[in-house]
């Protein structure tokens, strides 16, 4: 138990100094979503892998349609159909055209594609509006087509490699794999990819007074909101989260529950039971869990120079030295503590280079000065207006005002040295995204 007061920065530095990114694993693409790429991925084949048509129409030689107009159309012999993924390609000779679908390879001999709307579609009549299926086209894909406009060479052709060239860098190490990145990996033929897995975070709330939502509240009881908020926040940070409903205020039960959870945890988060009250069960349960052979193991309970969130615990537990963060039980204190300490720890486990929420400088909009305790860094809930570059406090300073938290999208930071902040002053805002 430390008697010294820790600064926010020192506590965070201590946590991040102890966290190592998870070991890489090879995953199938669907399982890799949300994970962080370990190696640069280069393109094995050019995309698209061949010249292909960007329109439904006719593949032609440009000389055959030079000078074509509605009055004097170029009349070409249709020699066949080219569809995306179809077999051998017909060769387009002088005076010939091949019907071609979007995405289909440009056949040999052809230099450009005439959109179907610039032709009669092989009907011998008015300009066509759509491409008919091969079976319904007049005389199938044979007969003649009248072309009403000339085309430049390579018109309506997507060149081989115009998206990416073989050997190009497709994705950089450190990229979080979202839907577009998964799509690119599939497009270049990658079925699996080496990533750091999403960290498994177990969230445990403590308190005999807590009832699960949906249940009946008895005398002196409240609903367990913290485990829901923190499990959701862990998922939002990129983790796989497991919520353990409220554990009763009994040190043995809590210790046994934590030991049970270690099997599926890369990080444990407890909420409640860490301040100086008589029933601070987390402290009691975890004060003796250090491994004798590992210096600095076990959980260190600390007082931080911050508001809300003064009581914090951090250390490692179990045979794998799983990191554990013990947060206060007040709903707002626990959420603010999560944003400042747990979220960066999750991002560090993922191997992300930047673990912090973005910050902005903003002008304080308020009807009176904000007061803040001397020597403590205060975090107030606020709403940020990016266009005006301003921030407005939401609710009061109380650490229990969870309704205000639901309407906030940033934390207003009041530094340790300041006890009052006037409206119109520039402040730091941590953007909660």
């Amino acid at each position: 138990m430390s008697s010294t007061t820790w600064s926010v920065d020192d506590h965070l530095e201590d946590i991040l100094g102890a966290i190592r990114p998870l070991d890489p694993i090879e995953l199938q693409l669907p399982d890799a979503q949300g994970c962080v790429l370990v190696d640069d991925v280069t393109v094995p084949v050019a995309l698209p892998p061949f010249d292909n048509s960007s329109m439904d129409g006719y593949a032609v030689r440009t000389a055959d349609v030079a000078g074509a107009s509605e009055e004097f159309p170029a009349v070409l012999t249709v020699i066949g159909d080219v569809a995306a993924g179809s077999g051998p390609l017909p060769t387009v000779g002088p005076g010939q055209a091949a019907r071609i679908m979007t995405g289909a390879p440009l056949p040999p001999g052809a230099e450009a594609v005439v959109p179907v709307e610039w032709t009669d579609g092989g009907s011998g009549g008015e300009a066509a509006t759509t491409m008919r299926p091969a079976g319904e086209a007049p005389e199938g894909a044979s007969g003649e087509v009248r072309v009403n406009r000339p085309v430049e060479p390579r018109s309506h052709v997507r060149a081989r490699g115009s998206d990416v060239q073989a050997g190009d860098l497709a994705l950089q190490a450190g990229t979080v794999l979202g839907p577009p990145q998964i799509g690119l990996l599939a497009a270049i033929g990658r079925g699996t990819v080496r990533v750091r897995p999403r960290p498994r975070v177990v969230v445990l709330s403590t308190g005999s007074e807590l009832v699960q939502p949906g249940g009946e509240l008895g005398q002196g009881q409240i609903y367990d909101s913290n485990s829901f908020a923190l499990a959701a926040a862990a998922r939002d940070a990129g983790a796989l989260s497991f919520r353990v409903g409220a554990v009763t205020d009994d040190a043995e039960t809590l210790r046994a529950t934590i030991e049970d959870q270690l099997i599926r945890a890369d990080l444990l988060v407890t909420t409640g039971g860490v301040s100086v009250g008589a029933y601070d069960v987390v402290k009691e349960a975890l004060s003796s869990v250090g491994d004798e052979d590992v210096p600095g193991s076990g959980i260190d309970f600390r007082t931080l120079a911050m508001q809300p969130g003064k009581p914090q615990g951090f250390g490692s537990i179990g045979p794998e030295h799983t990191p554990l963060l013990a947060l206060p039980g007040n709903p707002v204190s626990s959420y603010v503590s999560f944003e400042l300490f747990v979220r960066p720890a999750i991002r560090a486990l993922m191997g992300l280079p930047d673990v912090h929420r973005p910050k902005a400088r903003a002008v304080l909009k308020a009807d009176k000065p904000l007061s803040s305790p001397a020597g403590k860094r205060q975090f107030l809930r606020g709403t940020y207006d990016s266009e005006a570059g301003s921030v407005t406090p939401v609710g009061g300073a109380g650490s229990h005002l969870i309704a205000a938290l639901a309407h906030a999208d940033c934390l207003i930071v009041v530094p340790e040295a300041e006890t009052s902040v006037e409206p119109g002053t520039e402040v730091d805002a941590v953007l909660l995204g």
Side-chain angles (χ1 to χ4, degrees), residues 316-377:
S316 67
I317 184 170
E320 303 287 318
H321 314 302
T322 306
L324 182 146
L325 284 131
L327 310 184
N330 258 313
V332 175
S333 306
S334 77
Y335 181 70
V336 169
S337 303
F338 181 97
E339 282 292 339
L340 296 179
F341 307 126
V342 184
R343 194 176 195 277
I346 290 172
R347 313 286 284 174
L349 284 167
M350 292 174 75
L352 284 166
D354 186 13
V355 299
H356 300 289
R357 288 278 199 193
K359 269 192 184 156
R361 290 289 284 170
V363 174
L364 178 67
K365 277 178 71 175
D367 34 23
K368 57 178 195 292
L370 297 182
S371 65
S372 184
K376 290 186 176 179
R377 188 177 304 178

Side-chain angles (χ1 to χ4, degrees), residues 20-40:
R20 296 282 164 270
L22 297 176
D23 289 336
I25 53 173
E26 189 84 18
L27 287 179
Q28 301 283 335
L29 288 192
D31 301 324
Q33 184 171 348
C35 297
V36 175
L37 193 60
V38 173
D39 314 301
D40 287 349

Side-chain angles (χ1 to χ4, degrees), residues 32 52 112 133 141 152 156 158 178 189 195 202 217 294-295 312 388 394 397 419:
N52 68 81
E152 296 291 312
H156 310 113
R158 290 188 289 229
V195 293
V202 172
L217 285 183
V294 181
Q312 300 283 339
V394 180
T419 53

Side-chain angles (χ1 to χ4, degrees), residues 411-422:
L411 296 173
I412 302 167
V413 185
V414 183
E416 289 84 345
E418 292 183 28
T419 53
S420 178
V421 182
E422 294 293 327

Side-chain angles (χ1 to χ4, degrees), residues 32-425:
Q33 184 171 348
C35 297
V36 175
L37 193 60
V38 173
D39 314 301
D40 287 349
V41 173
T42 51
V43 179
V45 290
L47 284 187
F50 45 78
D51 289 354
N52 68 81
S53 178
S54 65
M55 306 287 269
D56 288 346
Y58 291 86
V60 299
R61 298 160 82 99
T62 47
D64 291 338
V65 294
S69 65
E70 291 194 13
E71 204 180 342
F72 300 108
V75 182
L76 303 176
T77 305
V78 179
I79 56 164
D81 246 1
V82 186
S86 63
L89 301 176
T91 299
V92 178
Q96 295 181 333
R99 280 173 28 108
I100 192 166
M101 306 300 155
T102 304
L106 191 69
E111 299 163 305
V113 172
V114 179
V116 66
E117 296 82 357
W118 297 3
T119 76
D120 66 353
S123 66
E126 299 296 308
T129 52
T130 59
M131 201 79 171
R132 293 206 232 160
E136 292 172 25
E139 302 137 55
S142 58
E144 291 182 336
V145 64
R146 287 171 168 71
V147 178
N148 303 327
R149 287 171 66 173
V151 284
E152 296 291 312
R154 310 292 294 168
S155 281
H156 310 113
V157 173
R158 290 188 289 229
R160 175 178 188 276
S162 56
D163 191 357
V164 286
Q165 297 278 358
D168 281 356
L169 180 65
L171 294 171
Q172 214 164 0
T175 303
V176 179
L177 299 180
Q181 291 77 25
I182 297 279
L184 175 57
L185 288 166
I188 63 174
R190 285 291 289 263
T192 64
V193 66
R194 229 164 74 87
V195 293
R196 293 194 195 279
R198 293 168 67 189
R200 299 163 304 162
V201 175
V202 172
V203 175
L204 233 133
S205 56
T206 64
S208 301
E209 78 283 10
L210 299 177
V211 176
Q212 294 309 294
E216 287 290 319
L217 285 183
Q219 186 72 39
Q221 293 185 313
I222 58 170
Y223 287 120
D224 170 20
S225 65
N226 287 6
S227 67
F228 284 90
L230 299 183
R235 203 171 301 123
D236 188 59
L240 298 169
S241 69
F242 304 101
R243 193 188 65 82
V244 179
V247 179
T248 175
D249 281 326
D250 173 71
E252 276 312 305
T253 310
L254 178 61
R255 193 179 294 141
T257 306
I258 286 176
E259 282 171 1
D260 283 349
Q261 293 299 327
L262 282 173
I263 187 90
R264 64 170 178 176
D266 298 307
L267 177 69
L268 277 159
V269 180
T270 64
T271 166
V274 292
S275 58
V276 289
Y279 290 104
D280 289 327
V281 61
V282 174
K283 265 190 190 166
E284 193 189 333
L286 299 181
S287 55
S288 60
V289 296
D291 304 309
E292 281 71 31
D293 60 327
V294 181
S297 76
I299 310 300
D300 185 28
F301 290 94
R302 302 170 175 171
T303 300
L304 260 66
M306 67 182 282
Q307 184 184 23
K310 180 174 79 166
Q312 300 283 339
F314 169 63
S316 67
I317 184 170
E320 303 287 318
H321 314 302
T322 306
L324 182 146
L325 284 131
L327 310 184
N330 258 313
V332 175
S333 306
S334 77
Y335 181 70
V336 169
S337 303
F338 181 97
E339 282 292 339
L340 296 179
F341 307 126
V342 184
R343 194 176 195 277
I346 290 172
R347 313 286 284 174
L349 284 167
M350 292 174 75
L352 284 166
D354 186 13
V355 299
H356 300 289
R357 288 278 199 193
K359 269 192 184 156
R361 290 289 284 170
V363 174
L364 178 67
K365 277 178 71 175
D367 34 23
K368 57 178 195 292
L370 297 182
S371 65
S372 184
K376 290 186 176 179
R377 188 177 304 178
Q378 181 163 239
F379 296 90
L380 295 165
R381 285 133 288 167
T383 53
Y384 173 64
D385 181 339
S386 57
E387 285 186 16
S390 66
V391 67
T392 311
V394 180
S399 57
H400 59 286
L401 299 172
I402 196 161
L405 187 61
H407 300 287
D409 59 12
C410 71
L411 296 173
I412 302 167
V413 185
V414 183
E416 289 84 345
E418 292 183 28
T419 53
S420 178
V421 182
E422 294 293 327
T425 312

